[in-house]
Amino acid sequence: MSIAIDTELALLVDTGTAWTKAGVIGRVRGRWRLVAHAAQPTAWGEEELLRRLVEQLAATADARLTGRFGELLARSTRVECRTPARAARLAVVAVSRELSGSSARRAAEAAGWHVTEMVTLDDGLSLAGRVAVLQSAEVDAWLLAGGFDDARSARAFEAAALVAAARRPGGPPVVWAGSNVLAADVIGLFEKGAATAVTNPRPDPRRDEPAELREHLQGLLRRIVGPADEERLTPVALPRAVGALAHATGLRVLAVDIGATTAMRVLADPDGRVESRVHARGGLAGAMLLPGAAGRIVRIDVDAGDEPAVADLLHNLHARPASLPQTSEELAATQAAARLLLASLVEDGVGGPLDLVVGTGRAIAAAPHPGQAMRMLLDGVRPVGVTQMAIDAGGLLGPLGSLTDAEISEGLTLLADDLLVPLGTSVVCRGGDPGRVAMRVTVHRAGWPAHSPVEVRTGQVQVIALPRGQEAELTIEPANGVTLGAARRSPRITATATGGVVGLVLDARGIPIGLPRRADDRRAVVASWRDSLMREAPVGAERVA
Amino acid sequence: MTSVVHSVRLPIASTPSVKVGARVQPEDVLATRRPPSDGVTLQVAAALRRPAESASEHLVARPGALLQRGELLARDGRGREVTVPQACLFLGYDPDHGTALLSPLGVEEPIVSHVRGRVTRVTPSTIDVRVAGAVVVGVAGSGAAVHGKLRVAVHDAAEELRAGAIDSDTTGRIVVGGSRASAETLTRARAMGVAGVVLGGVLDKDLRDFEATQARRREVGGAGGDFSIVLLEGYGKIGMDPGVFDWLRRHDGKMVSLFGDDARLYVYDADEPPTRRLLVRAGDRVVGTRRPYAGAGGRLVRILGGLHVVSSGISARSGLVRFEDGRTGIVPLANLEATEVAASG
């Protein structure tokens, strides 16, 4: 007598511009678990991806299903998200580089646009030069900005006229984000339906209010790059998943993704507020665009090699975004670049303390050592206070976010054990005098004898083993002039730390991280920080640097 | 013989001067345009005898409009008119001074083909030219379009292009180097009138030093003519794919067009160059794309089972490669590209 064996599988796929990540979810002893995972260059195609997953399933799953995995995957529930294959290009034309231009540009970049042309009336070009630049522009939309609200700025109108002169009738849409009283006149420069007006991000010299412009540009971008299946676009799906995570856990969550070409940050509060920003050129391929990137990388990482080699590497990351660092120098330089990109992603702050920082994308979530992932998140984000750190190692958050709201919540619950890999908890303080104690931290663990407080000096990192699944109560005594972000009423702060594959990290290196001026000292200090985070520590011991 | 389509984008307000079916040479003009020149002002309020702040009500052209010589700009309804003295873009009205800002169109400029072929499509924004030959697409480049005869100046794909290889015979040529060229070599090439250079790789530092030298020369008016560089493999000292190098050597002396900014090389009357496939298979002839095997050609002996931890610590699907330079190494498959010689090649 033969018994028919069957199973139910779900295939979660996150297709990036350079790499595709896929996970197979199946029932293991009555629970939904991640049973296979593969990542490969997107250009290798779906057939190869499925072949890899079938190989993994054949090696680990019930032998009675052997030979049927291809068929099972073919009829599995498919949940997927994708990054738009190409970045939408935008020309920004504004009155001033520092005010209207910078506000417009930042809003556009945070909405995921690639600003290919930036023309301002104070850019030093001649009028002919400006018109020539704009007439040669190949863009998907035009963004015009200038003039404060309630003022009829002739200069702002001139900027709009430049675009009217350079744009082909029937060409890409125009967004006016300048003086409100000029809106009707500017819209009248273009054919009917071509231009729309949004709230001025610079209503006066002292206010910068880019939120509405950013939101408008996000919507416009979605219409241009992904008119169908909008909910499957990663810039839409990931914020939905992170929002649901914040709601379900009651935590304030920051998710950061440094991809091959794009970067994204999602900030979600438990009350349902979600803010996301996509930087079309904020991924590793865009690292070469950061000012002085090669020199900065060599300065912050002792293993990255010399500056000319790092400069070459950054160009090659741009030229071949799906390739992998094969040497330790290239890995170190790539991860240092990711730290700079992360810092750039959160440079305008996250509006208060964070409870959980999640690293997604292969640069962080697929780092060979969890200490490297922790180092990228810690150095890049600098989350002041007590923060849980985790990575989305399976690349599941994005695909989950393409489901309905109810299904996302259900997915988060079902995949609780596999969704995020906890790295541990960080305690990051700001301030303090060099070499002096910045904070004393007492760690209370259930079933462990009480230890004397750990003293962390300014400029030091200490790691205390706290395995995954364990919790510890912390009593933190910051020194005078040292803060953990929030105002304190008592000299002692208590907090709960959750464990992870790295542990509890006590970080008194400051914000931004202070580095010694002398090269030899800097190298020694940076190496000690790296070693502290990378060393495997026995439980109960501290790693000090 | 193979052929490819080269698209020339036309700026707004260009006038095509060729028709579909026309045969063009690299130096032929495909279209012309009159680029706008620096702004001039034109009295409007005074001419209409109106206050500066209210004369804008009488404008009949809207900002951004292209006006032909003598075309009406403003009219007051009582017989007074303002016309533009020459073809121009109307860019705005200054209510403080009562003047219009105009950008007169300059002298006609040609939009040159830079390729040899037959025109297959003409639209207001693009002209397509079918080129009888092949195209090689690099990973990076810089410089304007140039054309000339191909000159292979090194003996093998991994050899560095030295300054000594640049002589009077290379003037006006597109020179093929190997693994890199120093800033000095590039400077000498430009000084000797070389039209362009095709390399496997170049150090970012050398390229920046060369560009800085050129910028200084331009400032003192010493740099003339266009010069283009295309990299086929990447940045650093990276040899050219030996298969592509051999193909270029077979076409030594042929006419080529080099587009540095687009990283494209058109070789006329050439067969298909070796192509690249990203998903490699055991037995393929492959080229490494990252250090320490960037640009090295070899044979993928076998693909290892499961994931392999390479020296950086990354776990990746990897393969054993026997390189033509004598090295044998385990390389992530993501860092390999298979090279395939076209059937006609």
Side-chain angles (χ1 to χ4, degrees):
Chain A
M1 189 179 74
S2 66
I3 299 170
I5 293 286
D6 206 354
T7 190
E8 230 181 311
L9 299 174
L11 177 62
L12 278 69
V13 183
D14 180 350
T15 306
T17 52
W19 278 75
T20 296
K21 290 78 70 180
V24 178
I25 310 298
R27 277 188 178 277
V28 179
R29 296 190 188 94
R31 293 173 61 202
W32 288 96
R33 298 298 304 264
L34 180 66
V35 293
H37 178 261
Q40 66 173 41
T42 299
W44 287 7
E46 166 118 356
E47 198 180 317
E48 181 67 15
L49 185 69
L50 294 177
R51 192 178 301 137
R52 294 282 78 77
L53 292 170
V54 167
E55 274 177 15
Q56 285 185 37
L57 289 169
T60 56
D62 192 324
R64 289 170 294 180
L65 292 168
T66 301
R68 292 186 51 211
F69 291 115
E71 168 220 328
L72 289 170
L73 277 182
R75 63 178 167 90
S76 64
T77 304
R78 191 181 172 103
V79 183
E80 60 186 323
C81 68
R82 64 181 170 83
T83 305
R86 77 168 177 87
R89 300 155 302 178
L90 185 76
V92 175
V93 183
V95 172
S96 75
R97 182 162 291 270
E98 293 301 318
L99 291 175
S100 53
S102 73
S103 290
R105 181 176 194 135
R106 272 188 280 118
E109 289 180 337
W113 287 84
H114 173 201
V115 177
T116 54
E117 305 295 349
M118 175 88 184
V119 166
T120 57
L121 301 190
D122 60 357
D123 56 13
L125 289 177
S126 64
L127 179 66
R130 277 183 211 122
V131 177
V133 166
L134 295 177
Q135 286 188 335
S136 304
E138 285 184 82
V139 294
D140 298 297
W142 300 84
L143 174 58
L144 315 181
F148 302 122
D149 278 354
D150 304 321
R152 293 190 68 84
S153 162
R155 297 283 280 164
F157 198 57
E158 184 186 324
L162 281 176
V163 174
R167 175 183 170 274
R168 289 177 204 278
V174 178
V175 178
W176 169 249
S179 166
N180 55 356
V181 295
L182 284 175
D185 291 341
V186 170
I187 288 171
L189 294 179
F190 303 94
E191 74 273 13
K192 196 175 176 190
T196 50
V198 297
T199 303
N200 190 351
R202 274 279 178 179
D204 66 51
R206 283 172 293 281
R207 278 194 296 159
D208 190 12
E209 296 174 356
E212 192 174 322
L213 173 61
R214 191 168 62 234
E215 206 170 298
H216 180 86
L217 291 173
Q218 280 173 340
L220 182 61
L221 182 134
R222 283 173 206 152
R223 287 200 295 279
I224 285 172
V225 300
D229 295 340
E230 183 185 295
E231 69 281 359
R232 286 189 179 172
L233 290 178
T234 305
V236 177
L238 185 62
R240 295 184 69 223
V242 176
L245 181 67
H247 181 72
T249 57
L251 301 175
R252 188 162 192 262
V253 183
L254 172 72
V256 286
D257 177 0
I258 301 294
T261 54
T262 63
M264 189 169 176
R265 61 173 257 190
V266 182
L267 188 59
D269 284 290
D271 62 6
R273 277 180 301 163
V274 180
E275 182 231 48
S276 68
R277 297 184 192 182
V278 184
H279 290 259
R281 303 188 84 188
L284 288 169
M288 67 177 197
L289 303 172
L290 294 172
R296 290 162 69 193
I297 285 170
V298 171
R299 197 174 144 79
I300 64 170
D301 201 300
V302 291
D303 303 315
D306 59 11
E307 191 173 331
V310 172
D312 289 339
L313 167 72
L314 297 181
H315 282 290
N316 289 332
L317 289 177
H318 179 79
R320 300 188 187 280
S323 61
L324 294 170
Q326 187 169 353
T327 64
S328 51
E329 289 85 5
E330 289 209 339
L331 180 72
T334 305
Q335 292 185 342
R339 302 205 295 271
L340 292 183
L341 291 162
L342 276 174
S344 166
L345 199 59
V346 298
E347 69 183 348
D348 54 350
V350 291
L354 299 164
D355 299 315
L356 171 63
V357 173
V358 181
T360 74
R362 284 187 57 77
I364 301 169
H369 191 287
Q372 293 166 338
M374 176 66 104
R375 189 179 179 201
M376 281 184 268
L377 292 175
L378 209 50
D379 290 12
V381 178
R382 300 305 293 146
V384 65
V386 181
T387 314
Q388 295 178 46
M389 313 289 263
I391 51 173
D392 173 22
L396 303 178
L397 272 178
L400 271 185
S402 68
L403 296 168
T404 63
D405 289 345
E407 288 170 330
I408 295 173
S409 301
E410 191 185 346
L412 292 176
T413 308
L414 293 175
L415 291 172
D417 292 338
D418 292 318
L419 191 63
L420 298 178
V421 175
L423 298 174
T425 298
S426 67
V427 180
V428 177
C429 66
R430 187 201 314 250
D433 298 324
R436 307 191 76 156
V437 172
M439 58 181 167
R440 287 186 179 80
V441 182
T442 311
V443 183
H444 310 274
R445 278 171 286 198
W448 288 70
H451 277 278
S452 53
V454 178
E455 291 190 339
V456 190
R457 295 180 182 277
T458 303
Q460 269 191 337
V461 177
Q462 297 200 21
V463 181
I464 297 170
L466 186 63
R468 183 175 183 173
Q470 287 197 11
E471 282 194 355
E473 293 301 318
L474 307 180
T475 304
I476 307 162
E477 298 170 77
N480 285 337
V482 175
T483 173
L484 269 77
R488 59 184 157 115
R489 297 181 189 85
S490 130
R492 290 179 179 177
I493 297 164
T494 58
T496 302
T498 56
V501 284
V502 177
L504 172 64
V505 181
L506 309 177
D507 183 341
R509 293 177 295 166
I511 300 171
I513 294 174
L515 287 169
R517 284 190 182 170
R518 283 191 60 232
D520 288 348
D521 294 347
R522 189 169 61 244
R523 277 194 285 273
V525 165
V526 171
S528 69
W529 291 339
R530 173 204 61 200
D531 293 345
S532 180
L533 284 165
M534 298 285 288
R535 216 178 297 143
E536 304 291 340
V539 174
E542 289 100 38
R543 287 168 270 169
V544 184
Chain B
M1 192 61 63
T2 185
S3 70
V4 288
V5 172
H6 173 71
S7 289
V8 179
R9 189 174 173 275
L10 304 180
I12 190 170
S14 301
T15 308
S17 50
V18 291
K19 290 184 176 162
V20 171
R23 295 203 169 272
V24 293
Q25 295 296 319
E27 56 278 1
D28 284 353
V29 175
L30 296 180
T32 55
R33 69 182 289 253
R34 294 181 65 188
S37 54
D38 274 340
V40 296
T41 55
L42 179 69
Q43 280 293 343
V44 174
L48 298 179
R49 296 184 194 165
R50 296 275 172 178
E53 65 275 15
S54 65
S56 62
E57 296 164 12
H58 302 287
L59 291 169
V60 296
R62 69 181 181 189
L66 172 65
L67 303 176
Q68 298 304 323
R69 181 180 174 186
E71 200 169 335
L72 196 62
L73 177 64
R75 169 197 290 145
D76 72 351
R78 285 188 250 163
R80 294 191 193 95
E81 292 184 341
V82 180
T83 58
V84 294
Q86 55 189 312
C88 63
L89 290 171
F90 168 43
L91 292 175
Y93 176 79
D94 181 346
D96 294 329
H97 299 96
T99 55
L101 175 63
L102 308 176
S103 174
L105 301 189
V107 293
E108 207 164 68
E109 283 184 357
I111 296 168
V112 177
S113 167
H114 290 298
V115 293
R116 188 177 79 195
R118 191 169 55 83
V119 176
T120 55
R121 188 171 70 117
V122 179
T123 72
S125 59
T126 312
I127 293 177
D128 287 345
V129 180
R130 182 162 288 280
V131 173
V135 64
V136 177
V137 180
V139 295
S142 72
V146 292
H147 60 273
K149 285 188 174 172
L150 198 67
R151 169 71 185 270
V152 179
V154 291
H155 297 98
D156 74 74
E159 184 183 335
E160 180 177 338
L161 178 64
R162 305 270 179 195
I166 307 295
D167 55 26
S168 57
D169 285 350
T170 56
T171 301
R173 303 290 182 98
I174 309 290
V175 173
V176 176
S179 59
R180 67 169 276 208
S182 67
E184 290 73 23
T185 302
L186 294 173
T187 304
R188 178 174 166 81
R190 172 113 205 214
M192 294 291 287
V194 169
V197 175
V198 181
L199 298 164
V202 70
L203 270 60
D204 168 72
K205 185 179 184 312
D206 282 328
L207 198 53
R208 279 189 290 123
D209 287 349
F210 167 68
E211 284 170 350
T213 307
Q214 297 312 305
R216 282 195 295 274
R217 286 189 63 192
R218 272 195 299 275
E219 279 172 19
V220 297
D226 289 322
F227 185 79
S228 228
I229 300 174
V230 167
L231 309 181
L232 298 185
E233 301 296 338
Y235 281 79
K237 189 175 190 305
I238 304 176
M240 197 178 285
D241 169 10
V244 173
F245 181 77
D246 287 345
W247 182 84
L248 288 169
R249 195 150 57 179
R250 277 200 287 119
H251 296 293
D252 195 8
K254 282 192 173 157
M255 193 66 168
V256 298
S257 292
L258 188 68
F259 294 79
D261 290 337
D262 299 332
R264 293 169 87 85
L265 170 73
Y266 292 93
V267 182
Y268 299 102
D269 306 321
D271 54 355
E272 281 280 354
T275 55
R276 295 283 183 95
R277 177 165 36 81
L278 296 175
L279 179 57
V280 295
R281 291 188 282 263
D284 280 345
R285 196 189 164 280
V286 294
V287 173
T289 58
R290 288 287 290 266
R291 283 172 66 196
Y293 301 111
R299 186 71 60 187
L300 178 59
V301 178
R302 67 186 174 92
I303 294 175
L304 307 181
L307 301 178
H308 180 84
V309 180
V310 295
S311 59
S312 63
I314 281 181
S315 303
R317 291 187 61 219
S318 304
L320 178 69
V321 181
R322 192 159 292 133
F323 288 100
E324 287 148 10
D325 60 12
R327 290 181 293 176
T328 299
I330 292 173
V331 186
L333 301 186
N335 293 357
L336 293 173
E337 291 179 359
T339 64
E340 295 175 320
V341 178
S344 59

